Amino acid sequence: MADQEQTDYSALPLLDRFVHKVWKVRKEAYEEAARRFEAAPSESDPVYKPFLQDPGLWKGAVADSNVAAQQEGIAALCAFLKFAGTPACTRTRNQAIPPLVEKGLTSTRAATKASATEALLLYIELDTPGPVIDELIPFLSHKQPKTIAATLNALTTIYHAYGCKTADPKPVLKALPKVFGHADKNVRAEAQNLAVELYRWLKEALKPVLWNDLKPVQQQDLEALFEKVKQDPSPRQERLLRSQQDAPAPAGEEDGDAPAVAEEVDEGPEEVDAFDLVVPVEVASKIPGDLYENLASTKWKARKDSLDELYAVINIPRIKDADFSELVRALAKCMKDANVTVVTVAANCVEALANGTRAGFSKYRSLIMSPMMERLKEKKQLVADALGAAMDGVFTSTSLSDCLDDTLEFMKHKNPQVKLESVRFLIRCLRNTKEVPTKAEVKLISDAATKLLTESTEVLRSSGAEILGTIMKIMGERSMNPYLEGLDEIRRTKIKEFYEKAEVKAKDKPKPAAPPAAAAAPKGTKAPVGRKGAEKKPAAGPAKGASNSGPATEDAKPTGRSIPSKLGPHKPTATGAASGLKLQKKPGGPGGSASAAPSPMKQPVSHPAPAPAEEETTSVPKFGLGGRGLAGRPLGRPTPVTHFSETAAPAGSSLKPQERVELEELRAENERLRRNDEELRTERSKLMSEIHELQNQNAQLIEDHTRNMLSLKAKETQLVRARSDAEAAEQMCQKQQREMERLKRELSRAVRSASPTGPNDVSEQIYRDTGLNGMAPPPYGANHGRPMVAKRPTYGSNFGEEKENGGPLDAVDLRGGMKMTSPTLSSAVSSQAGGRNSPTVDAGAGGGGGGLSGGTTTNNGEGIESWKRAAEVTSQLKARIEQMKARQGISKP
């Protein structure tokens, strides 16, 4: 072991020491390689060639088992990437990044972590961020939480350094929701840091992509973190790619154009659209096959259900473009449906399809626009809102010029509802358009809006004023003055109010906007501007130098001109000392501006021939201070004078210290107002999102209310049917009651017709108490040998049927010991039963005292008793009848 430590391995080749089994040898080899890389004169030096031919050397160096050697190995990789150029990146990227993430980013040494992160940034700087991010994404699903956290931290650093315009955030956004659900808290914390960094660049465009896949608690946590960085200034790209570093070089190193390019790169992410962050999804094959068949159904429920299925398929952020012409024609046909629910769902489908395809939907605009605007006559606000949202989606996929003709045509519609909704749609188009309308379109819009000012309804008049105010915000007040001539003061005031409130995305820029852009450069660079102007415009260079150089240059120029130098102490010197701001106020004044004005106008003419230039310069003071020098000049070309006044104003020497202080204050105030405007816009977007959420909730509540109302109507229908059934049952009961009464009357009539005239023997002929003397009725008939079963009276049968079945109440057992028999059958029964049921009972038939005492003796006292007993039996019969009615469920009406 001691021999190995004393052995000198420096004589071995560098590549052999790179893979040596002794870690100290490898460490020294890494350090020596880094020194050689730094000393190499160019990217094509032979020292890089072995490492380019065998990229696997870096795989072992980055993942060295010894932490000290690993640190030097990653440092050597950074030096190799820094000095070997793009070939070092493209040839070693696939071999070095995986072990760099697994072993380098997760190292316990801070220096190793920093070197590993720097190596990843160099890989991006030398080429593009896409391949590096693609190598990092699989490690977000690694089994070790520390590897996932380290990868998220590296991604956060990458986006912080290069921004979301240079480094595409789509792959990370697709994998980020899964990381938020990880069990390890460190992983979730790093995911939040990455989300906050992406929010710094993407702003509100991040939420539609990420929000739906997060839990409410995670959304609240991210909202709190977003609020902390919402007030921060716009992020700037801290590192440039090699391609970005080389691009601005030809534009000029002296003018400072490279920082301007960086600023343009930084300002880009503020306008990122959520649509650009989503991967398109193919939906053409997912459309239900029976959709068109169901849309032709005669049942509105089938049509609505088929549209609901379609909406579930196409309601995604981005749709892959395909041929949807047949589908759009079917949706246009649904706009004429008699059921408003079908129309609403069809409008929602149009909105989802237009927002999902964007520019791809423009070819279907002519098919769907007119049917939707024609259906705006629907007075239900829910339908009007759905149609308005669908038309907004169509406008987003097209432009103002495409939708203007149809909109202006429907603004003349005879239906006031169609006219009003068309006007509102035009106002929304003017607010959201990013293209300034042409003069011909402005004239058409202004004429249509002016006609609306004379409408009978206040809503249409106010909408016409709002159109004029919005178009004035886009085009400017001066451009709209010809269209406002002839309007009274009240209407002008109304238009002015809408002009001040309007918020538009497009503003007309006048054509002479180019000179101020050229004159903006001297504000940032005072001295070099004169040199830049002298290189690009030789004729205007001396004029700028004369206006910006101060007294020394003014004395140097008039040396060849004797007369202007003599006139120096007079009035022209006073105006010559004035600031550039005063020159802007009086560009054509006859006083001191005459000494400065001739130079820009004269230089193009006097450049080829100097002699006439001297004559011109001598002629200026000849006319003295009366201003005839300028008055004698032609007034057909005032542009150079205006250009001179504009370019002379930003010169540093022409501003007084007080004016400079005031200018700085104005700039600070402008910056503060700009930040306030951004805050208000952010607040407005937040409120608009809340409004959309509330509208969705309102629509859901309306749908639930409609469903509940339909359920209530169904219950009411069932209740009406139940009441009708109850009334029918009650009528049936009444009918049965009347039938019972009729049967009672028939029974009493039959009893009266069969009873004898004398009152003495009537009771014995009708009734007989079988238990008076302890005698029980015979269980069987005398002739047939079968038990006599008591028949329950049937209330629905008539008297004739009872007579056919053996007579009314032939043998009714009244369970009180009494039996009633028909008088007409008394003789037959008495003959069969040995006179046991006869009214005149035989004395010998009783046998053992079983018969009635007294035999056949009937007197008046017994007749009275028999009538009383008959009355009791009748009352008992009524009671039994009532019990049977109650047992059968028959109640009185």
Side-chain angles (χ1 to χ4, degrees):
M1 198 67 173
D3 295 338
Q4 290 182 357
E5 293 180 358
Q6 294 177 0
T7 303
D8 186 11
Y9 296 98
S10 59
L12 294 175
L14 182 61
L15 297 182
D16 293 342
R17 285 183 285 159
F18 241 70
V19 294
H20 202 275
K21 61 180 181 180
V22 180
W23 69 269
K24 288 185 179 181
V25 179
R26 297 194 303 271
K27 180 175 179 294
E28 293 175 357
Y30 301 151
E31 294 174 352
E32 183 178 350
R35 290 193 297 269
R36 289 187 183 183
F37 296 152
E38 293 176 1
S42 65
E43 296 179 359
S44 59
D45 194 273
V47 71
Y48 303 119
K49 188 174 181 180
F51 299 96
L52 293 175
Q53 293 178 348
D54 188 9
L57 295 173
W58 294 114
K59 183 177 181 181
V62 169
D64 200 298
S65 58
N66 186 273
V67 291
Q70 181 192 17
Q71 179 178 342
E72 298 301 330
I74 297 177
L77 175 62
C78 293
F80 176 71
L81 294 173
K82 190 174 182 180
F83 298 105
T86 304
C89 165
T90 55
R91 293 191 181 184
T92 63
R93 182 169 50 203
N94 297 333
Q95 296 286 338
I97 289 181
L100 196 65
V101 175
E102 288 185 341
K103 303 296 183 181
L105 294 178
T106 58
S107 177
T108 55
R109 291 194 171 193
T112 305
K113 286 184 179 180
S115 299
T117 305
E118 179 64 21
L120 292 176
L121 296 178
L122 286 172
Y123 273 117
I124 293 175
E125 179 180 337
L126 293 172
D127 191 18
T128 55
V132 178
I133 294 177
D134 292 341
E135 291 284 347
L136 294 177
I137 291 298
F139 288 97
L140 296 179
S141 302
H142 201 272
K143 60 182 180 180
Q144 293 184 359
K146 66 175 183 178
T147 304
I148 301 176
T151 306
L152 291 171
N153 188 14
L155 289 171
T156 305
T157 306
I158 289 172
Y159 285 108
H160 184 80
Y162 293 101
C164 286
K165 188 172 184 180
T166 304
D168 189 10
K170 292 180 184 177
V172 177
L173 290 175
K174 187 177 180 180
L176 194 57
K178 182 179 179 181
V179 183
F180 271 97
H182 200 276
D184 190 80
K185 62 178 182 180
N186 296 327
V187 174
R188 296 195 301 270
E190 291 295 339
Q192 287 183 348
N193 295 336
L194 178 57
V196 171
E197 182 61 35
L198 293 175
Y199 181 79
R200 291 177 64 244
W201 296 90
L202 303 178
K203 299 299 181 183
E204 296 299 323
L206 175 66
K207 293 184 178 179
V209 182
L210 185 63
W211 234 233
N212 296 332
D213 298 327
L214 299 181
K215 298 178 181 179
V217 178
Q218 295 173 340
Q219 294 178 4
Q220 294 176 1
D221 295 341
L222 287 179
E223 280 287 358
L225 295 175
F226 291 166
E227 288 294 332
K228 295 179 181 179
V229 300
K230 188 174 291 186
Q231 305 300 330
D232 293 350
S234 300
R236 294 180 179 273
Q237 183 173 337
E238 297 180 355
R239 298 182 63 153
L240 298 177
L241 304 178
R242 288 289 174 89
S243 58
Q244 294 174 343
Q245 294 173 10
D246 299 337
E253 294 85 3
E254 299 176 356
D255 301 335
D257 291 341
V261 174
E263 290 178 3
E264 292 178 1
V265 173
D266 295 337
E267 292 176 359
E270 296 181 359
E271 300 179 357
V272 173
D273 189 2
F275 182 79
D276 300 329
L277 303 176
V278 182
V279 178
V281 180
E282 197 275 329
V283 299
S285 60
K286 300 178 183 179
I287 297 176
D290 57 347
L291 173 65
Y292 305 108
E293 181 181 354
N294 292 333
L295 290 179
S297 175
T298 56
K299 297 181 179 180
W300 72 268
K301 187 68 175 175
R303 300 195 298 272
K304 177 184 175 299
D305 292 342
S306 61
L307 290 174
D308 287 334
E309 294 178 3
L310 174 64
Y311 182 75
V313 172
I314 64 177
N315 187 24
I316 56 177
R318 190 170 182 179
I319 299 174
K320 188 176 181 180
D321 195 12
D323 185 13
F324 297 109
S325 56
E326 185 178 2
L327 177 61
V328 174
R329 289 192 186 95
L331 293 175
K333 187 177 180 181
C334 291
M335 295 300 162
K336 302 178 182 179
D337 200 289
N339 190 281
V340 293
T341 307
V342 176
V343 176
T344 304
V345 181
N348 294 336
C349 293
V350 173
E351 179 188 5
L353 188 62
N355 292 332
T357 55
R358 289 286 176 94
F361 194 80
S362 58
K363 53 181 172 287
Y364 311 122
R365 184 201 61 80
S366 58
L367 299 176
I368 195 66
M369 196 71 180
S370 296
M372 286 196 300
M373 300 189 77
E374 187 68 35
R375 194 54 194 261
L376 288 173
K377 61 186 179 182
E378 190 65 44
K379 294 184 179 180
K380 291 187 177 181
Q381 191 62 33
L382 185 63
V383 182
D385 293 343
L387 292 172
M391 291 191 299
D392 292 344
V394 174
F395 168 75
T396 304
S397 62
T398 56
S399 63
L400 178 63
S401 301
D402 296 334
C403 301
L404 185 59
D405 294 338
D406 292 337
T407 306
L408 294 178
E409 186 65 26
F410 277 92
M411 285 173 61
K412 306 173 185 177
H413 202 275
K414 60 182 180 180
N415 191 311
Q417 185 70 20
V418 175
K419 183 185 296 185
L420 177 60
E421 294 298 332
S422 302
V423 170
R424 290 174 176 172
F425 172 63
L426 179 59
I427 294 173
R428 295 195 299 270
C429 292
L430 292 174
R431 289 176 180 173
N432 297 321
T433 183
K434 296 180 181 179
E435 300 177 0
V436 178
T438 62
K439 292 184 178 180
E441 293 172 350
V442 172
K443 186 177 185 306
L444 292 174
I445 296 172
S446 301
D447 293 343
T450 305
K451 291 180 181 179
L452 291 175
L453 296 176
T454 59
E455 288 287 339
S456 58
T457 58
E458 172 61 23
V459 180
L460 288 175
R461 293 196 300 269
S462 179
S463 299
E466 188 173 359
I467 291 176
L468 291 174
T470 307
I471 198 69
M472 182 186 294
K473 193 77 171 183
I474 297 174
M475 305 301 298
E477 294 187 58
R478 294 182 60 185
S479 301
M480 291 298 296
N481 284 335
Y483 304 105
L484 302 183
E485 293 179 357
L487 298 180
D488 54 14
E489 192 63 28
I490 298 177
R491 291 173 179 170
R492 285 175 175 268
T493 305
K494 192 75 172 177
I495 294 172
K496 190 70 174 178
E497 291 178 359
F498 284 111
Y499 163 73
E500 294 173 354
K501 296 178 183 178
E503 294 182 3
V504 296
K505 296 181 180 179
K507 288 190 177 181
D508 186 29
K509 296 180 180 179
K511 291 182 179 179
K523 294 182 181 180
T525 58
K526 300 177 183 177
V529 169
R531 184 170 68 251
K532 178 182 177 182
E535 293 175 2
K536 293 186 178 181
K537 298 180 180 179
K544 293 184 180 181
S547 60
N548 299 337
S549 58
T553 56
E554 288 179 2
D555 294 341
K557 286 189 67 177
T559 54
R561 301 176 183 177
S562 59
I563 297 177
S565 64
K566 292 179 182 179
L567 293 175
H570 295 285
K571 188 176 180 180
T573 59
T575 55
S579 63
L581 297 176
K582 296 182 180 179
L583 288 176
Q584 287 183 355
K585 295 180 181 178
K586 299 180 180 180
S593 61
S595 62
S599 59
M601 297 180 63
K602 176 180 60 181
Q603 290 297 334
V605 180
S606 62
H607 188 270
E614 293 179 358
E615 293 177 1
E616 261 186 59
T617 54
T618 56
S619 65
V620 174
K622 182 185 292 186
F623 291 98
L625 302 176
R628 292 183 62 186
L630 283 178
R633 294 181 182 274
L635 299 177
R637 293 184 295 173
T639 306
V641 178
T642 306
H643 176 72
F644 170 73
S645 63
E646 291 177 354
T647 55
S653 61
S654 63
L655 294 178
K656 296 180 180 180
Q658 297 178 354
E659 294 175 346
R660 290 182 181 177
V661 173
E662 184 178 358
L663 181 61
E664 293 298 329
E665 293 178 355
L666 291 176
R667 287 177 179 173
E669 182 70 16
N670 186 22
E671 183 66 20
R672 186 181 63 81
L673 292 176
R674 188 182 64 81
R675 287 197 300 269
N676 291 339
D677 183 57
E678 291 180 356
E679 293 175 0
L680 292 176
R681 288 179 183 274
T682 305
E683 180 100 13
R684 180 176 178 273
S685 62
K686 184 177 179 180
L687 293 176
M688 289 300 295
S689 63
E690 293 179 358
I691 289 174
H692 289 315
E693 292 178 0
L694 292 175
Q695 287 178 349
N696 294 334
Q697 294 178 3
N698 187 23
Q700 185 65 30
L701 292 176
I702 291 175
E703 184 178 354
D704 295 341
H705 176 70
T706 305
R707 192 182 302 108
N708 294 334
M709 292 299 295
L710 293 176
S711 177
L712 288 176
K713 289 182 179 180
K715 296 296 183 183
E716 289 179 356
T717 304
Q718 294 177 1
L719 183 59
V720 170
R721 291 178 179 176
R723 287 178 179 174
S724 62
D725 294 342
E727 291 177 357
E730 188 174 357
Q731 293 177 359
M732 191 67 180
C733 291
Q734 293 177 358
K735 182 179 179 181
Q736 296 292 336
Q737 188 71 20
R738 289 193 296 271
E739 184 67 19
M740 289 175 58
E741 294 294 336
R742 187 184 65 80
L743 291 176
K744 289 180 182 180
R745 289 193 298 271
E746 290 291 338
L747 179 61
S748 60
R749 194 180 305 116
V751 170
R752 286 195 300 271
S753 62
S755 61
T757 57
N760 295 329
D761 55 351
V762 170
S763 60
E764 293 182 359
Q765 292 178 4
I766 299 177
Y767 300 105
R768 184 176 179 215
D769 189 355
T770 57
L772 291 177
N773 296 321
M775 293 180 62
Y780 297 97
N783 296 331
H784 300 286
R786 54 183 174 86
M788 295 180 63
V789 180
K791 296 182 181 180
R792 178 172 295 179
T794 303
Y795 300 106
S797 61
N798 55 20
F799 181 72
E801 293 175 351
E802 293 174 355
K803 199 168 184 179
E804 290 177 359
N805 294 327
L809 298 177
D810 187 22
V812 179
D813 186 8
L814 298 180
R815 300 183 183 179
M818 302 294 297
K819 181 183 295 184
M820 183 178 68
T821 58
S822 175
T824 57
L825 302 176
S826 59
S827 59
V829 173
S830 61
S831 62
Q832 294 175 1
R836 189 173 294 180
N837 288 332
S838 175
T840 55
V841 183
D842 189 6
L852 293 174
S853 60
T856 58
T857 305
T858 57
N859 51 26
N860 291 336
E862 291 180 357
I864 294 173
E865 290 296 330
S866 297
W867 280 109
K868 289 182 180 181
R869 192 166 27 201
E872 292 176 1
V873 171
T874 303
S875 62
Q876 291 178 3
L877 176 63
K878 289 182 179 180
R880 295 295 181 185
I881 291 173
E882 293 297 331
Q883 290 179 3
M884 286 188 292
K885 285 169 56 180
R887 197 177 299 115
Q888 293 180 1
I890 300 175
S891 60
K892 291 184 179 181

